[in-house]
């Protein structure tokens, strides 16, 4: 069952239920549940945010982060086409829990340099210092030598995007973690610039498959899960996300 709340106290009531087995955590709670957690995965500790709760047989509550796995799965095929991730250049937009997962994923993949921008500069600066990224204060003046990847981690309703001139000049692969609507302002600009698009529904799918395996200990039914996400996120005239299309065999 879905619980629509931004209050950690409400989450505490949910996880206290004897029948609670696990849950997916979304914004704004990804960085606010530490008091409820007994055990945290190594990746979640380094990321500093969680998106998965699992009740262990011992009764303890374990926290994980699968967002970074979804991000890596979406970006890795585009990165593999480059001579080296070193010097490739990546820009991350945002400063929340998903931003942390993106910065961690890029670090694991060896991408450098990594740039970060957020409307609240102080938040971006804090993450830049924590993850060894470079702060972008003025997005309109951003002019990197190379830019192979762009990752958006802000709500689509914010309207945040990158100039089509910058995108057209570098042709990066562009991932937007937001998945409803499928074509966000960022992906719309990327499409106009001729960039490869990585839909948020693909990230959602990959991280959900990882969650399923954490909760059940079984291999995720990728085709069934992909079909369910495709149905929920379908939009007329918008192509089916790549990884979902592959999983469904469409």
């Amino acid at each position: 069952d879905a619980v629509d709340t931004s209050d950690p106290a409400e989450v505490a009531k949910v996880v206290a239920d004897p029948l609670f087995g696990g849950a997916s955590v979304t914004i704004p709670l990804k960085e606010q549940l530490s008091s409820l957690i007994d055990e945290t995965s190594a990746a979640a500790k380094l990321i500093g945010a969680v998106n998965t709760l699992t009740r262990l047989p011992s009764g303890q509550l374990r926290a994980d982060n699968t967002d970074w796995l979804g991000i890596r799965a979406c970006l890795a095929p585009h990165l593999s086409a480059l001579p080296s991730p070193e010097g490739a250049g990546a820009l991350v937009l945002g400063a929340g829990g998903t931003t942390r997962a993106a910065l961690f994923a890029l670090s694991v993949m060896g991408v450098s340099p990594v740039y970060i921008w957020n409307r609240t500069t102080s938040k971006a600066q804090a993450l830049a210092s924590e993850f060894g990224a470079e702060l972008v204060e003025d997005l309109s003046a951003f002019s990197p030598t190379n830019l192979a990847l762009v990752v958006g981690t802000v709500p689509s309703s914010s309207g945040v995007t990158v100039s089509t001139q910058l995108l057209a000049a570098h042709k990066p692969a562009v991932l937007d973690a937001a998945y409803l609507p499928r074509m966000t302002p960022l992906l719309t600009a990327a499409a106009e610039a001729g960039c490869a698009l990585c839909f948020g529904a693909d990230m959602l799918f990959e991280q959900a498959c990882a969650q399923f395996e954490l909760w059940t200990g079984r291999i995720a039914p990728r085709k069934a899960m992909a079909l369910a996400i495709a149905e929920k996120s379908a939009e007329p005239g918008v192509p089916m996300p790549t990884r979902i299309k592959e999983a469904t065999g469409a």
Side-chain angles (χ1 to χ4, degrees):
D1 295 335
V3 178
D4 187 6
T5 183
S6 58
D7 185 357
E10 290 298 314
V11 179
K13 294 177 185 177
V14 173
V15 302
D17 189 320
L19 297 179
F20 176 80
S24 180
V25 180
T26 60
I27 57 173
L29 293 167
K30 293 183 179 186
E31 301 169 78
Q32 299 179 20
L33 301 181
S34 59
S35 63
L36 306 179
I37 296 165
D38 300 302
E39 181 181 313
T40 306
S41 70
K45 284 180 182 178
L46 291 170
I47 292 167
V50 306
N51 79 324
T52 308
L53 299 179
T54 306
R55 179 70 71 198
L56 301 175
S58 65
Q60 291 189 314
L61 192 64
R62 176 182 170 89
D64 290 275
N65 190 303
T66 62
D67 279 336
W68 82 273
L69 296 171
I71 293 168
R72 183 179 66 175
C74 290
L75 298 181
H78 302 282
L79 199 61
S80 65
L82 301 176
S84 170
E86 210 172 312
L91 170 65
V92 181
L93 307 172
T98 309
T99 314
R100 287 177 164 275
L103 292 167
F104 179 75
L106 291 167
S107 174
V108 169
M109 292 189 291
V111 178
S112 67
V114 175
Y115 307 95
I116 180 171
W117 174 90
N118 188 58
R119 284 178 296 187
T120 305
T121 303
S122 59
K123 292 182 178 180
Q125 179 63 75
L127 287 183
S129 299
E130 183 175 345
F131 287 91
E134 297 183 27
L135 175 67
V136 176
E137 294 190 49
D138 184 355
L139 195 57
S140 65
F142 179 52
S143 182
T145 302
N146 295 309
L147 187 64
L149 306 170
V150 174
V151 183
T153 67
V154 298
S156 59
S157 58
S158 69
V160 170
T161 187
V162 178
S163 74
T164 52
Q165 291 87 351
L166 177 65
L167 294 171
H170 293 276
K171 292 290 193 297
V174 180
L175 167 64
D176 199 329
Y179 56 90
L180 291 175
R182 192 177 286 178
M183 285 302 293
T184 64
L186 176 60
L187 290 182
T188 298
E192 291 174 1
C195 300
L197 305 184
C198 302
F199 291 98
D202 271 340
M203 176 190 157
L204 173 68
F205 166 62
E206 291 292 350
Q207 70 83 25
C209 287
Q211 286 181 322
F212 180 94
E213 294 177 4
L214 286 170
W215 290 327
T216 68
R218 302 198 305 260
I219 296 173
R222 290 177 65 87
K223 183 173 183 178
M225 293 175 70
L227 286 169
I229 293 173
E231 181 181 352
K232 292 289 186 182
S233 65
E235 290 179 31
V238 180
M240 185 181 289
T242 303
R243 302 192 72 80
I244 288 177
K245 184 176 181 179
E246 291 172 351
T248 60

